[in-house]
């Protein structure tokens, strides 16, 4: 099929309902924004639980699986042919094109629960950073022994107010500038965290901290839970499959969207893996078995002002990353509302408002979108207040998203698309899926156990803790 014929077919199918101007670099920015988030802060602790051998190997292993699965998922953007087929604008649309209705339902549950859960995790992480900045400044002004309690709930509400405002942008294609800024911020605090960890390591004699077998625990059971939690944190650190199709839907063509997306995935995952291994190993070398759950909260990490800058960069990054995960949820809920009440005046009313820094210069604000998006952000904030346990929440999110979204559905769609029958390749693909399933189940059990134990000892679950 020639380019003009493909374009004509796109128009007939209504595929130009929004302008697609994305390139490999904007897609890479979206990926880096989605991937490098709160997960990077837990990598020193994760490597500490796994040790010097298993830690780096786990980081590299998850990176390879994620990249391979992302190449399979990129081919599913169009169906039945990866270049000339019909567009699938969402992850669920892609699953619907290749798999059964039951699997579409399973995909919807897994994708949107994980998208929303990631928003919860980002709210917790941003609040921890805001509290850390407040306490750091207080200690610097009043001394280390001063009482410097920070209002975590107030900080969390402030972050949520910002998200309510940003949620009024129609979609990802309208906030590319926000993803670019967020991507720059992610590199900034990753470099700062890495530099401060290396500086702490050198200033304390450059001795290799930690053990080959990882940090010791009070019991073998606790050690097992910590190892599983570490694997969950690493799995979460690589999560972005649930927004890959939505990111790909912003790309212009030619060249073919799957070709561009594969390059963007390689660049994005490659860059983040280098950061992850560096930050995880540097943090473990610097703090050994005492590596904290959030590296930016480590005692004596570096000059308070530089740690504050890192935390500020993290907050700015999470502001953008939150929207990368929230926009698909907003779009799905709004499509459902429009189809459910197509004649409702409240749903069909809209107003145009001029917005600076936006590519098109203005945004259409619909009252029902304002209400729906605000309700989603508020619900996210309430849940974040109730379970503010950083490592456990990240581990649970990693367990819940890794197998179904990153591995199972991409592999299943690839088998259906390429009509792979039982044979060597089929068994290898199914074997990879089963191994990842077992890892996800084990990590999920460990994460839930840790959350339950944390709730038992927390007298005030609305107080954000790290």
């Amino acid at each position: 099929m020639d380019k003009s014929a493909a374009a004509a077919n796109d128009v007939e199918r209504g595929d130009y309902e929004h302008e697609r101007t994305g390139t490999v670099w904007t897609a890479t920015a979206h990926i880096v924004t989605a991937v490098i988030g709160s997960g990077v802060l837990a990598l020193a602790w994760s490597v500490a639980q796994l040790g010097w051998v298993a830690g780096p190997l786990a980081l590299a292993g998850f990176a390879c699986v994620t990249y391979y699965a992302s190449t399979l998922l990129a081919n599913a953007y169009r169906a039945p042919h990866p270049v000339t087929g019909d567009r699938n604008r969402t992850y669920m649309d892609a699953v619907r094109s290749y798999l059964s209705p039951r699997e579409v339902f399973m995909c919807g549950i897994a994708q949107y629960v994980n998208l929303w859960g990631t928003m919860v995790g980002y709210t917790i992480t941003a609040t921890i950073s805001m509290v850390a900045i407040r306490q750091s400044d207080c200690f610097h002004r009043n001394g280390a022994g001063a009482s410097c309690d920070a209002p975590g709930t107030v900080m969390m509400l402030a972050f949520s107010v910002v998200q309510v405002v940003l949620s009024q942008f129609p979609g990802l294609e309208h906030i590319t500038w926000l993803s670019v800024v967020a991507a720059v911020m992610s590199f900034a605090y990753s470099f700062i965290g890495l530099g401060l960890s290396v500086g702490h390591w050198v200033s304390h004699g450059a001795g290799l901290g930690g053990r080959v077998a990882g940090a010791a625990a009070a019991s073998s059971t606790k050690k097992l839970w910590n190892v599983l939690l570490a694997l969950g944190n690493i799995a979460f650190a690589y999560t972005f499959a649930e927004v890959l199709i939505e990111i790909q839907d912003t790309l212009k063509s030619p060249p073919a969207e799957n070709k561009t997306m594969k390059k963007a995935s390689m660049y994005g995952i490659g860059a983040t893996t280098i950061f992850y291994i560096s930050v995880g190993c540097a943090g473990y070398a610097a703090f050994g078995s005492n590596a904290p759950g959030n590296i930016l909260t480590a005692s004596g990490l570096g000059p308070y002002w530089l740690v504050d800058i890192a935390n500020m960069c993290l907050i700015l990054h999470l502001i953008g990353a939150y929207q990368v995960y929230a926009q698909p949820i907003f779009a799905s809920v709004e499509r459902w509302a429009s189809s459910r009440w197509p004649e409702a005046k409240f749903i069909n009313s809209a107003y145009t408002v001029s917005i600076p820094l936006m590519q098109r210069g203005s945004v259409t604000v619909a009252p029902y979108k304002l209400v729906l998006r605000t309700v989603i952000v508020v619900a996210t904030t309430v849940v974040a207040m109730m379970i503010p346990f950083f490592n456990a929440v990240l581990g649970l999110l990693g367990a819940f998203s890794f197998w179904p979204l990153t591995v199972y559905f991409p592999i299943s769609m690839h088998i259906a698309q390429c009509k792979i029958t039982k044979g060597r390749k089929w068994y290898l693909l199914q074997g990879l899926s089963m191994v990842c399933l077992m890892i996800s189940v084990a990590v999920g059990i460990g994460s839930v156990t840790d959350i339950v134990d944390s709730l038992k000892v927390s007298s005030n679950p609305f107080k954000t803790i790290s």
Side-chain angles (χ1 to χ4, degrees), residues 40-51 215 222 225-233 279-280 283-284 288-295 390-392 450:
V40 71
L41 305 176
L43 293 181
W45 181 86
S46 299
V47 173
Q49 307 313 307
L50 297 170
K222 181 61 176 176
W225 295 147
N226 286 345
V227 168
L228 293 176
L229 209 57
L231 291 175
N233 287 175
V279 172
Y284 188 32
S289 298
N290 295 320
N294 180 338
I295 192 63
F390 180 70
N391 291 100
D450 192 78

Side-chain angles (χ1 to χ4, degrees), residues 113-123 236 239 242 322 325 397:
V113 168
N114 188 70
L115 285 170
W116 182 60
T118 302
M119 291 161 60
V120 172
Y122 283 178
T123 302
F236 175 78
T239 297
E242 60 268 44
Y322 185 105
Y325 284 88
L397 291 172

Side-chain angles (χ1 to χ4, degrees), residues 85-172:
D86 295 348
R87 295 180 190 270
N88 294 306
R89 298 188 182 89
T90 68
Y91 197 122
M92 283 184 65
D93 287 343
V95 174
R96 187 176 293 109
S97 296
Y98 292 103
L99 305 177
S100 68
R102 181 178 62 86
E103 288 170 304
V104 174
F105 177 77
M106 291 170 54
C107 174
I109 296 296
Q111 182 185 12
Y112 288 102
V113 168
N114 188 70
L115 285 170
W116 182 60
T118 302
M119 291 161 60
V120 172
Y122 283 178
T123 302
I124 294 171
T125 309
T127 304
I128 290 172
S129 291
M130 288 189 283
V131 168
I133 292 174
R134 176 75 174 267
Q135 290 180 330
S136 174
D137 293 342
C138 176
F139 287 138
H140 180 70
R141 291 194 309 268
N142 304 317
S147 176
C148 293
D149 291 335
T153 300
V154 174
M155 301 290 188
M156 190 174 287
L157 290 174
F159 178 81
S160 299
V161 168
V162 173
Q163 295 303 335
V164 168
V165 175
L166 291 176
S167 69
Q168 299 313 304
F169 284 96
L172 286 177

Side-chain angles (χ1 to χ4, degrees), residues 340-385:
R340 179 68 177 79
W341 299 286
E343 304 298 328
K345 183 178 180 181
F346 178 69
I347 291 179
N348 293 318
S349 61
Y351 306 91
T352 301
V353 179
S354 297
I355 300 293
L357 300 180
M358 199 180 77
Q359 292 176 352
R360 298 185 180 182
S362 63
V363 63
T364 300
V365 177
Y368 90 98
K369 290 185 178 182
L370 176 62
V371 172
L372 284 176
R373 296 184 179 202
T374 300
V375 168
I376 292 172
V377 173
V378 169
T380 302
T381 305
V382 171
V383 173
M385 289 179 177

Side-chain angles (χ1 to χ4, degrees), residues 15 18 35 39 68 92 152 168 192 201 218 220 230 232 243 258 292 310 379 398 449 462:
D15 280 349
H18 69 261
V35 176
Y68 176 68
M92 283 184 65
Q168 299 313 304
I192 293 174
W201 172 60
S220 57
V243 294
N258 66 329
T449 301
F462 283 84

